[in-house]
Amino acid sequence: MSIRHTAALAALLLLGTAPFAQAADKPTDPQIAHIAYTAGVIDVEAAKLAIEKSKTKEVVDFANDMVRDHEAVNVQALDLVKKLKVTPEDNATSQALTKAAAEERAKLAKLDGTVFDKAYVDNEIAYHKQVNGALETLLIPSAQNADLKSLLETGLKIFQGHEQHAEHVAGKLK
């Protein structure tokens, strides 16, 4: 239900695919909802760190876009969860995402200036690739509810745009 967030998560980690690989072979809709919401919160937290630390207009603007988009998706996801009367279910994937995000945020917090900007944007690119891949290959195919599946598909399109935007910002930082 809030997998849009997942795509939106884009920001914090150079995780590869490990957290998503820890998911059950086919997560349930309540697990998917939790993963998506968790991913969105992670990206918002990363973006807020970037807004606080960066002095580069393009990076701050991108981070503000991530906060706006991910918070909006999280609201939609929560509305869908309520409508469907589904309780998101914590799971190994959500836990792995949270742990990795905290570790990455701690690394980013120690950086400053252009080194921070580059690390933040590189993490956003990597994380969006990870989330978009998980949406395409695991989360959307596993979703049973049509409304959830639709939200995830819409989220994927939005998050692919986030990935492209992050790549554009990275190009300006070089």
Side-chain angles (χ1 to χ4, degrees):
M1 317 226 251
S2 53
I3 246 317
R4 281 183 139 181
H5 316 60
T6 296
L9 18 130
L12 257 147
L13 325 164
L14 278 170
L15 296 177
T17 57
F20 287 104
Q22 292 178 4
D25 289 326
K26 189 171 183 180
T28 64
D29 285 358
Q31 291 170 334
I32 292 169
H34 199 279
I35 293 165
Y37 186 80
T38 299
V41 168
I42 288 168
D43 207 34
V44 168
E45 290 172 353
K48 287 181 177 178
L49 179 64
I51 292 165
E52 174 188 320
K53 291 191 66 85
S54 183
K55 306 287 186 255
T56 306
K57 181 181 180 342
E58 291 85 3
V59 173
V60 173
D61 289 349
F62 173 78
N64 278 315
D65 288 349
M66 293 305 98
V67 170
R68 180 197 65 226
D69 290 355
H70 289 281
E71 285 182 346
V73 169
N74 283 348
V75 167
Q76 288 181 306
L78 290 175
D79 289 347
L80 180 58
V81 168
K82 287 177 189 169
K83 173 186 164 194
L84 299 175
K85 297 182 173 110
V86 171
T87 301
E89 182 183 317
D90 194 9
N91 56 78
T93 299
S94 294
Q95 293 165 8
L97 286 169
T98 300
K99 181 177 186 247
E103 291 169 0
E104 188 61 29
R105 202 168 34 253
K107 289 178 193 173
L108 287 172
K110 294 176 184 174
L111 304 176
D112 290 303
T114 57
V115 175
F116 171 84
D117 290 345
K118 182 167 177 11
Y120 167 71
V121 173
D122 286 350
N123 283 328
E124 284 294 307
I125 293 167
Y127 200 54
H128 277 97
K129 285 181 189 224
Q130 176 194 15
V131 170
N132 292 341
L135 282 165
E136 287 178 311
T137 63
L138 179 65
L139 301 174
I140 292 171
S142 298
Q144 298 297 305
N145 179 278
D147 290 335
L148 173 59
K149 190 175 287 263
S150 176
L151 179 61
L152 296 176
E153 289 167 345
T154 300
L156 175 59
K157 290 179 182 135
I158 292 168
F159 302 142
Q160 288 168 333
H162 287 170
E163 182 182 335
Q164 291 173 346
H165 188 183
E167 289 170 346
H168 177 75
V169 172
K172 288 186 167 200
L173 294 176
K174 293 183 179 181

